[in-house]
């Protein structure tokens, strides 16, 4: 099981952003649960998602795959998908796999939230 905290954030322009903060490991045993959570949020709640990885100290290829899938889901509905607060131990995985250039990665949750409306089309 992976614990995923979910918050809804309302931007000034009325855009709803879902902030997901998983805790623990994002690996082959938990990535599918996270993937389902992303799908559910994007299809039912908002096409704008921020994933806060500050509590994820380990991520493997299946964890990265779940993030890529979430990004594709958001793209399909002209949404946005941002990652923030990458744990230092997980950051290396993003760099080695060159995924740091694929994702929009922000230092803080606030930075990621501020970035949402600018790069996305108006709802």
């Amino acid at each position: 099981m992976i614990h995923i905290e979910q918050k809804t954030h309302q931007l000034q322009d009325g855009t709803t952003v879902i902030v997901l903060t998983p805790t623990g490991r994002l690996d082959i045993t938990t990535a599918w649960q996270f993937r389902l959570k992303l799908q559910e949020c994007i299809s039912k709640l908002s096409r704008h998602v921020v994933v806060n990885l500050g509590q994820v100290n380990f991520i493997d290829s299946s964890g990265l795959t779940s993030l890529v899938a979430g990004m594709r889901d958001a793209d399909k509905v002209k949404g946005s998908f941002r990652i923030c607060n990458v744990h230092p131990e997980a950051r290396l995985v993003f760099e080695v796999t060159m995924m740091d250039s694929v994702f929009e990665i922000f230092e803080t949750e606030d930075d990621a939230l501020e970035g949402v409306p600018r790069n996305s089309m108006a709802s």
Side-chain angles (χ1 to χ4, degrees):
M1 269 301 280
I2 186 168
H3 175 74
I4 304 164
E5 184 194 327
Q6 179 180 328
K7 287 189 303 198
T8 303
H9 188 87
Q10 209 73 35
L11 298 177
Q12 284 172 331
D13 65 359
T15 306
T16 299
V17 183
I18 302 298
V19 180
L20 294 177
T21 307
T23 298
R25 296 165 67 90
L26 201 49
D27 60 18
I28 192 137
T29 57
T30 57
W32 62 275
Q33 290 170 305
F34 187 60
R35 167 86 186 98
L36 289 174
K37 185 74 172 167
L38 282 170
Q39 263 179 327
E40 181 191 331
C41 288
I42 292 165
S43 65
K44 297 187 177 138
L45 301 173
S46 173
R47 56 188 186 193
H48 302 292
V49 175
V50 170
V51 179
N52 184 329
L53 292 178
Q55 303 299 315
V56 174
N57 58 0
F58 179 85
I59 189 165
D60 70 3
S61 59
S62 48
L64 284 175
T65 302
S66 68
L67 290 169
V68 170
M71 181 175 64
R72 288 205 180 121
D73 286 350
D75 280 350
K76 272 184 216 152
V77 291
K78 306 246 186 308
S80 61
F81 187 86
R82 299 200 158 93
I83 293 172
C84 67
N85 199 13
V86 179
H87 193 287
E89 289 173 41
R91 188 178 289 272
L92 187 64
V93 176
F94 283 89
E95 289 166 3
V96 169
T97 56
M98 309 292 267
M99 283 293 167
D100 55 345
S101 60
V102 173
F103 293 112
E104 286 187 82
I105 300 179
F106 294 80
E107 282 301 307
T108 67
E109 198 173 292
D110 286 345
D111 287 351
L113 287 167
E114 279 174 29
V116 172
R118 280 186 216 129
N119 295 348
S120 65
M121 296 164 77
S123 306

